[in-house]
Amino acid sequence: MRISVAADSRDGVAERVVSELRRRGHEVVTHGALDDGERDDWAWACELAARDVSEGRAEQAVVCCWTGTGASIAANKVPGVRAALCVDAYTADGARKWNDANVLALSLRLTSEVVLDEILDAWLAGRPSTDPADVANVAHLDAI
Ligand SMILES: O=C[C@H](O)[C@H](O)[C@H](O)COP(=O)(O)O
C-alpha cells in the first residue's frame, strides 16, 4: 500500500514510522521534517499528507506532531479525510473498524517504539466494520 507520512520533527518515533512501514512492504512518501526542503510546521506538513489521501496519491497517511493533536486537526480539515489520534493498539483497531479512519495521527511525545509497533500492527490489519450502524455513522461524516 502507498502511505504518506508527515512529521513536524524527527524527534520521537517519527523516523521509525517510515522504517517500520517500509520494512512491512509499504511504499512510503514523506513530508515535512522527514523530507528535506519542505516546510516542517505541523499544519503544513500534515496537510500535505492528508491531501495525498484526499487526492488519491496515497491510500492512507500517518501524521505526527509532538502531541498528535495539531496533526489530527490539520488532517481532518481536508475533505474525505478521517484522521484518528491513536495512543494504543485498541484505539487504532477501533479507529479502523468503527471510524474507517484513513489517517493515523500519532504523538511523538507519547508513543514509544513498542507501542508504535503495536499501533501499526492493529492499524494495518484493521478493516472497516460492515455493521449497518457503523456504515451509517461513517457515511454521515460526509454530510456534517
Ligand atoms: O499540535 C502541535 C504539535 O504538538 C507541535 O508538535 C508542537 O506545538 C510543537 O511545535 P514546535 O516544535 O513548532 O513548537
Side-chain angles (χ1 to χ4, degrees), residues 8-9 11 40-43 64-73 106-108:
D8 69 346
S9 83
D11 291 343
D40 62 4
D41 297 290
W42 54 268
C64 312
C65 69
W66 192 239
T67 56
T69 54
S72 61
I73 292 168
L106 294 172
S107 164
L108 297 175

Side-chain angles (χ1 to χ4, degrees), residues 2-8 28-64 70-79 81 102-103:
R2 192 170 161 93
I3 303 176
S4 190
V5 180
D8 69 346
V28 176
V29 179
T30 55
H31 290 294
L34 300 170
D35 187 341
D36 291 336
E38 274 191 3
R39 185 165 184 171
D40 62 4
D41 297 290
W42 54 268
W44 280 261
C46 298
E47 177 196 359
L48 289 178
R51 287 200 183 280
D52 281 347
V53 174
S54 178
E55 295 166 16
R57 290 183 294 276
E59 291 172 63
Q60 294 183 359
V62 182
V63 294
C64 312
S72 61
I73 292 168
N76 274 316
K77 296 287 288 183
V78 175
V81 164
N102 51 12
V103 174

